[in-house]
Amino acid sequence: MKKRMTANRQTESSETHTRLDFPQPGIARLTLDHAERSVNILSRDVLEEVEAHLLSLEKRDDIQGLVIASGKPGSFIAGADLTEFAASLDEPADVIQNVSRRGQDLFRRLSAAPYVTIATIDGICVGGGAELAVWCDRRIVTSNSKTQIGFPEVKLGLFPGWGGTARTPRIIGLANAVELVTGGESMSGKAAFEMGLADDLIDVGDDAENTASTANNALLEAALRMIEADQKSGDFLANRQRWAEPIAMSETELAFLGATAVAVIQQATKGKYPAPVAALELMLEASMGDLDAACQMETEQFVPLFGSPINRALLNVFFLQDRNKKKDGGSGKGQAKAASVGVIGAGTMGLGIAAVSLRRGLKVTISDNRAEALASGEQQVLKEAAFDRDLKGPNLDKVLELSPGLNTTIQARPLATCDLVIEAIVENADIKKELFGEIEPHAQGTTVLCSNTSTIPITKLAEGLKRPDRFCGLHFFNPVRKMPLVEVIRGKKTSDDTIARATSLARQLGKTPVVVKDGPGFLVNRLLLPYMNEAAVLLGEGVPIDQIEKAAKSFGMPMGPIELHDVVGLDVCLHAGKVMQEAFSNRVVPTPIVDQLVEAGRLGQKNGLGFYDWKTDKKGRSKKSPSDDVQKIIAKLATPSSTSHDLTDRLILPMLVEATRAMQDGIAGDVRDVDLALIYGIGFPPFLGGLFYWADQIGAATIVEKLEGLRSLGKRYEPTKMLLEKAKNGTQFYDN
Ligand code: NAI
């Protein structure tokens, strides 16, 4: 068994997306290497090839083991082919059942093979890929940070339909499997090993030049050892028998698991996503039957979720992301990667941007005119950049590895040699302009200067520059490590090359860039403001805070607009509101409430006093409670009126109307960019598919009708040309 692995290698057959070879006598290796994709996906043709290989191997009696590997460096299998799923959304139930049953049948063939089957996993292994892996006898994973195993199907409004819900609990226990399937989160190779989902963990280090081939060789070595051991002990056959049985749990244990899991799901989904509960119910019930019965139940219960409105909306979100990733032309695709970033301003945003950049392997220099901000900022950046999910804190080896890549300087000038410089200092146009004026003369020809401003027009900031074409907005959202969106803002004179470099950097940082035209509030804040403004207007009409919050949350927003004021900071809201009021005076309604609260020293969550009172609990979490003082201020300012309007319409429709105006003004190039930007920038509910996608489900004519009923409230409810046209022609925003 331990012959050199390169010896005696002969290829039996070669197909389009897969290769079967024999690294040693008696050992088959099936390598998945999708011909048209950068990652492996289990499209129909790939599955057919896998099936053909399994059939050919079954006919032989000399095979001891089959190793399943990936030909894509650092990536195993990214799941099923969702374009195929999307194409079958309208199919009848029996066809959908067949999609599930065919996958199960194929994988079942794998699990009944007359030899040991081992999935060797380096890199992403999710969805259908994870299902294939759990149908193997064994799984070996690498410790590489790219290795992620999980079942994200619930995020698409589904659950695993190729036997994942049946097979996984039999390997790792029902409680672990429920957590994995209903939570939809992936876990690292190390976590999978500790949980028992993987049988071996191979330490191949991270980021080494030759990690992929090192990993593949190490995985194969480990698989050969495992096959030999399993053939000797027969353990794999015992496992097969055990995993075919019902799961041994008492009714009390099942009831307890069900109750705790429902509570966790409810907390995470607020009752808006049915798939996790459906998965839980299925897994609890199916645990009592054998594996065959569990597979049958999975197939049957998969059908009602497939093609449901929520499944369609979530698939839309997936395709919005996919479209964004594939976009070319000014998208940064094909752009050489940046090696260094300069960040000016060691505050909330600057430190967040620096940490993400350092974590992603860029050389980072931070500048601030306060030495103390630099000293504490440097530590904070290192800690955040070296954060390890498994350790729930910084990894000290990583801190040592990253620290030579981080520099600080009081002077901003040295940053001019970086590939990109991102300014995140105080929100003041004159100070920002002065700073850029100081750096620009020292910048290299290719250096791109960016501002993270949230309100100042990019074209205005570029006014004093000699090369305004090398300048753009790069607007991150707070907190940077969590928020996936970056608006790339094109000023009047910004060049395509600058946009491409800035967009490419955002991608390099793992963010989702959306390119928008310069204009007040750019895209996201322009659309967020009408929603927040309306909340303040409603307070002025005497609507209680909790009713406003409830209306937004029942629509699906992650938090109410009043709480959002506190999280953003009331001073920041006040400033942004004034900017928008100046720009759009005909539709932004002046409301004195935020002014008065700021005047009373209430700045929001950051100083413990906003619309709510904020306290930190024992676990360090910020907790809010209603404030009597604020009630008094509101009572003084409010003029109660008996509004009979639907509060959700009041809050959401001004955002939609403004979005159509932003489209008309050319701020965004496509409604899909708006939808993605709002989901990623403000947490617009993914289960609604996006603002314009949601509007399409309701229909422009119905929306115009609703707006007519609200029109007396002001221009913010006036249907725009775009809406009227869609309503008249019966067309959809997504039609183009
Ligand atoms: P901050 O107040 O936390 O940090 C600003 C930092 O800049 C401070 O450390 C300060 O010492 C430094 N600074 C000020 N003037 C300077 C100068 N002339 N030279 C060098 N350093 C200087 O501010 P924050 O919140 O990080 O905001 C920075 C920028 O990002 C602003 O333009 C803001 O509008 C924008 N922004 C803020 C967001 C937020 O949620 N905080 C979100 C998106 C954008």
Side-chain angles (χ1 to χ4, degrees), residues 142 147 204 247 253 277 332 350 393 462 528 573 669 689:
T142 65
T147 299
V204 288
I247 296 169
E253 284 170 325
V277 174
L528 184 60
C573 292

Side-chain angles (χ1 to χ4, degrees), residues 241-259:
Q241 205 159 10
R242 195 158 50 89
W243 293 340
E245 312 270 306
I247 296 169
M249 271 179 97
S250 69
E251 268 184 37
T252 323
E253 284 170 325
L254 282 178
F256 179 73
L257 172 60

Side-chain angles (χ1 to χ4, degrees), residues 345 347-349 368-370 424-425 427 432 452 454 475-476 478:
T348 312
M349 297 305 288
D368 197 292
N369 59 5
R370 289 185 304 124
I425 64 166
E427 186 74 343
K432 286 186 196 275
N452 185 49
S454 36
H475 184 212
F476 289 81
N478 187 14

Side-chain angles (χ1 to χ4, degrees), residues 183-263:
E185 297 299 330
S186 303
M187 60 181 162
S188 65
K190 183 163 172 266
F193 177 64
E194 281 165 1
M195 189 184 268
L197 187 62
D199 301 86
D200 201 356
L201 175 71
I202 305 295
D203 192 358
V204 288
D206 235 5
D207 301 330
E209 283 268 300
N210 57 353
T211 300
S213 61
T214 316
N216 270 340
N217 285 339
L219 284 168
L220 181 59
E221 292 262 14
L224 294 179
R225 284 195 296 274
M226 207 170 264
I227 291 168
E228 190 177 9
D230 252 331
Q231 284 291 3
K232 242 189 221 155
S233 66
D235 283 354
F236 75 108
L237 294 173
N239 282 344
R240 286 183 187 186
Q241 205 159 10
R242 195 158 50 89
W243 293 340
E245 312 270 306
I247 296 169
M249 271 179 97
S250 69
E251 268 184 37
T252 323
E253 284 170 325
L254 282 178
F256 179 73
L257 172 60
T260 33
V262 160

Side-chain angles (χ1 to χ4, degrees), residues 81-124:
D81 185 343
L82 295 179
T83 46
E84 284 177 6
F85 271 37
S88 352
L89 286 176
D90 296 321
E91 296 288 355
D94 56 328
V95 177
I96 307 300
Q97 277 205 19
N98 254 337
V99 171
S100 160
R101 196 167 290 132
R102 282 211 55 199
Q104 287 180 0
D105 287 350
L106 166 62
F107 290 164
R108 217 189 272 255
R109 186 175 282 285
L110 188 62
S111 72
Y115 42 76
V116 183
T117 54
I118 303 196
T120 55
I121 302 163
D122 180 43
I124 191 101

Side-chain angles (χ1 to χ4, degrees), residues 344-351 367-370 373 410 412 423-428 431-432 435 451-456 475-478 525 568 572:
I344 315 176
T348 312
M349 297 305 288
L351 295 179
S367 166
D368 197 292
N369 59 5
R370 289 185 304 124
I410 286 273
E423 166 277 312
I425 64 166
V426 58
E427 186 74 343
N428 176 307
I431 301 180
K432 286 186 196 275
L435 179 76
S451 175
N452 185 49
T453 176
S454 36
T455 52
I456 306 168
H475 184 212
F476 289 81
F477 290 73
N478 187 14
N525 285 344
V568 171
V572 177

